Amino acid sequence: MENAPWWTGAVVYQIYPRSFQDSDGDGIGDLGGVLHRLDHLSDLGVDVLWLSPVYPSPQADNGYDISDYQDIDPLFGTLAQLDELIAELHRRGMRLVMDLVVNHTSDEHPWFVESRSSPASPKRNWYWWRPPRPGMAAGDPGAEPTNWQSFFSGPAWALDEASGEYYLHLFDRKQPDLNWENPEVRQAVYAMMRWWLDRGVDGFRMDVINMISKDVGPDGHLPDGPPLPGSAYGDGTPHFFCGPRIHEFLQEMHREVFAGRGGADGGAALLAVGEMPGVTVEEARLFTDPDRGEVDMVFQFEHVGLDQGASKWDVRPLRMRDLKASFGRWQAGLAEAGWNSLYWDNHDQPRAVSRFGDDSPEFRRDSATCLATLLHLHRGTPYVYQGEEFGMANFPFAGVDDFRDLESVNHFAAAMVAGEDSAAVLAALRTMSRDNARTPVQWDASPSGGFTTGTPWLPVNPDFVEWNAAAQRSDPTSVLAHYRRLIALRHENPVVALGDFTMLLPDHDDVYAFTRSLGGQTLLVVCNLSRTTYPVADLLTEAVDAPLVLGNLPGPGPTLRPWEARVLRLA
């Protein structure tokens, strides 16, 4: 890629502010806390801070239910602090990307309050209002306009008894979906986005943005989805994942919001990231082809579904061949045009070292650094989720009362109604719950891990005394030190950012290997994702005498040790 955009060589750091750092002792992280920890990000070497929602919100879904797009929730601070954060990041050479949720709002947003006030409201058509199913009365079982199931369990339609009509909510009932078919909605969203860019924000990570176009017929009818096994409801995703007008909407957004806002070097200074559940490689190529003017990169979910069966709660062992096939397909599919986000975990996924690695005392450090090496040496923009850089792990939840996440709590309740085994359901929650990612960041060994002087909104993982940032900051063998080296390697070597990707050993059950090549330079990456040792010569003869660029274990020899990762120079 000649004249490659700045973000091809960048690393993004995600902050979930509620759990990052508390500055006022109320047990909830805030913008003051983020400002307090900016030197940590600067020392790590990241280029972009992605900030999960800090807008005013009733917090039904921890801020992803926004009631005012143009302010800061007092829970997190003030607009002045956000302005200060922008200035401090820019002073350090970093950018700020705001999380943006425009598939839906809170039901307490003034737009929805007005929409709900009367069927004759001028904003009624800003949301998806529909009468009961023909021949049925409002409130009857099965009278919802479609059979779609909400992502948070139960029907995707809620009855408004005052009007006798239903409104669509693909997520919680307090998160009504905006009707993007209405041009007034789109223009209101674009105006709000421009307002943030004018304040100095450097772009947006757009939540479930591929759901904004619904498969609506000429008569306004929305179709049923295929029945879901073991559910009274159906799967609506074929009718709102990458719907018929999605490319049109994103191209319009690009023209209205991003186009013409160049950087000092004349290039695109901004970043538009589209979170897109269910997106395919072929669709992602269209979304991210720079000639089409839609988004810069997608945030896709294929690899984080490989250890799941019928649902995320149906947990299966991850097969390395499946991971290679998935990653390899995305590397190949976006090789000529388009761009991908690289991540193991985020605010919606359990901790990578517990899920994909080995969080036992013996191998936690090694597996955390091995996984990081594998990911960061791929082509795409790596994302680091808070605490990942020093090996934070899943929380040891004792019972259902320990969970706070709406998705987890609702799933347990629905499973009990369905007569499922409570022990099995709890085991799945412990493994996959979003709460695993949301426990407070472990900064040091002081009470509550240095996160707060008060009572944390979620308990701190009891392993914080040993596993914390302060304990690793000056240790050259730590997980944190390895992340610094990986980020520096991407900054210093164009082959890491832009090189061609070739998968090796695609059928090996434990060892993940590939090359990256650019302009006569070739790197060989070899990662052993297991407790088994392997003679290097039996795997790849070219790796035997190749110079080491970066490794996660000291003294590399003829044997690839458990959870060992090596980056070697072939040319």
Side-chain angles (χ1 to χ4, degrees), residues 145-296:
T146 72
N147 68 346
W148 299 355
Q149 178 169 288
S150 159
F151 287 110
F152 289 169
S153 304
W157 295 90
L159 176 62
D160 173 60
E161 293 188 359
S163 66
E165 290 193 332
Y166 293 82
Y167 65 86
L168 178 67
H169 59 90
L170 295 182
F171 294 88
D172 187 63
R173 63 183 296 126
K174 287 186 66 63
Q175 294 171 285
D177 278 50
L178 283 165
N179 179 10
W180 274 68
E181 296 291 318
N182 186 336
E184 292 180 358
V185 169
R186 304 200 300 273
Q187 289 303 320
V189 169
Y190 304 153
M192 171 269 294
M193 295 172 73
R194 290 191 295 266
W195 184 85
W196 281 111
L197 295 181
D198 290 342
R199 290 194 87 90
V201 168
D202 301 292
F204 302 98
R205 174 268 187 190
M206 294 177 283
D207 189 71
V208 297
I209 197 65
N210 65 320
M211 300 187 194
I212 59 176
S213 172
K214 274 67 169 179
D215 187 9
V216 56
D219 60 352
H221 177 73
L222 294 168
D224 280 341
L228 285 165
S231 172
Y233 305 102
D235 176 12
T237 60
H239 305 297
F240 57 77
F241 273 7
C242 301
R245 299 184 68 188
I246 184 62
H247 294 288
E248 174 192 343
F249 291 159
L250 290 179
Q251 288 167 6
E252 181 183 71
M253 176 191 288
H254 185 271
R255 291 192 305 271
E256 295 272 348
V257 178
F258 297 102
R261 290 180 180 257
D265 59 357
L270 304 176
L271 180 60
V273 182
E275 186 209 29
M276 298 186 175
V279 71
T280 65
V281 177
E282 295 74 23
E283 289 165 339
R285 184 184 174 105
L286 295 176
F287 283 122
T288 62
D289 183 340
D291 291 338
R292 293 173 57 86
E294 297 186 28
V295 296
D296 296 317

Side-chain angles (χ1 to χ4, degrees), residues 11-35:
V11 176
V12 181
Y13 188 97
Q14 183 192 357
I15 285 180
Y16 189 73
R18 173 180 284 269
S19 302
F20 188 66
Q21 176 68 64
D22 175 24
S23 69
D24 59 10
D26 67 355
I28 297 172
D30 47 42
L31 290 177
V34 176
L35 284 161

Side-chain angles (χ1 to χ4, degrees), residues 44-61:
L44 186 59
V46 297
D47 307 277
V48 181
L49 188 163
W50 156 23
L51 188 65
S52 287
V54 289
Y55 313 96
S57 166
Q59 302 293 322
D61 188 25

Side-chain angles (χ1 to χ4, degrees), residues 298-506:
V298 294
F299 211 85
Q300 52 89 12
F301 292 77
E302 184 175 294
H303 66 292
V304 293
L306 297 175
D307 58 351
Q308 300 166 11
S311 76
K312 69 177 285 182
W313 310 111
D314 181 12
V315 185
R316 313 284 179 86
L318 175 67
R319 298 196 319 166
M320 192 51 51
R321 295 185 191 193
D322 294 342
L323 183 68
K324 293 177 189 178
S326 176
F327 273 5
R329 186 164 53 250
W330 281 87
Q331 291 287 297
L334 301 182
E336 300 300 324
W339 201 253
N340 194 21
S341 304
L342 307 171
Y343 72 96
W344 284 125
D345 50 6
N346 58 46
H347 67 288
D348 283 335
Q349 303 293 334
R351 289 289 180 179
V353 71
S354 298
R355 182 182 188 181
F356 301 116
D358 184 336
D359 62 6
S360 67
E362 183 178 4
F363 292 113
R364 180 164 167 181
R365 180 261 170 213
D366 298 347
S367 69
T369 52
C370 182
L371 287 171
T373 305
L374 188 159
L375 188 81
H376 281 245
L377 266 294
H378 278 71
R379 191 171 188 267
T381 297
Y383 286 64
V384 179
Y385 179 67
Q386 61 185 39
E388 175 191 336
E389 72 273 24
F390 47 87
M392 280 184 62
N394 279 359
F395 186 89
F397 296 101
V400 69
D401 291 340
D402 290 345
F403 294 93
R404 297 289 181 273
D405 176 43
L406 192 68
E407 180 187 45
S408 301
V409 173
N410 286 359
H411 170 68
F412 185 84
M416 293 305 94
V417 171
E420 296 183 34
D421 177 62
S422 60
V425 175
L426 271 175
L429 286 180
R430 290 188 187 100
T431 302
M432 298 303 296
S433 174
R434 302 190 301 182
D435 279 335
N436 282 303
R438 300 175 181 187
T439 59
V441 173
Q442 299 158 207
W443 293 108
D444 56 43
S446 66
S448 296
F451 165 71
T452 183
T453 57
T455 301
W457 76 279
L458 262 183
V460 179
N461 194 313
D463 67 9
F464 76 88
V465 175
E466 179 182 2
W467 287 89
N468 62 70
Q472 298 188 25
R473 191 159 289 124
S474 300
D475 179 1
T477 68
S478 67
V479 178
L480 181 58
H482 191 74
Y483 267 82
R484 287 195 205 107
R485 290 190 287 269
L486 281 171
I487 292 168
L489 186 67
R490 173 167 290 263
H491 290 160
E492 295 162 4
N493 292 268
V495 65
V496 178
L498 300 171
D500 292 337
F501 177 96
T502 302
M503 183 72 76
L504 306 174
L505 308 177

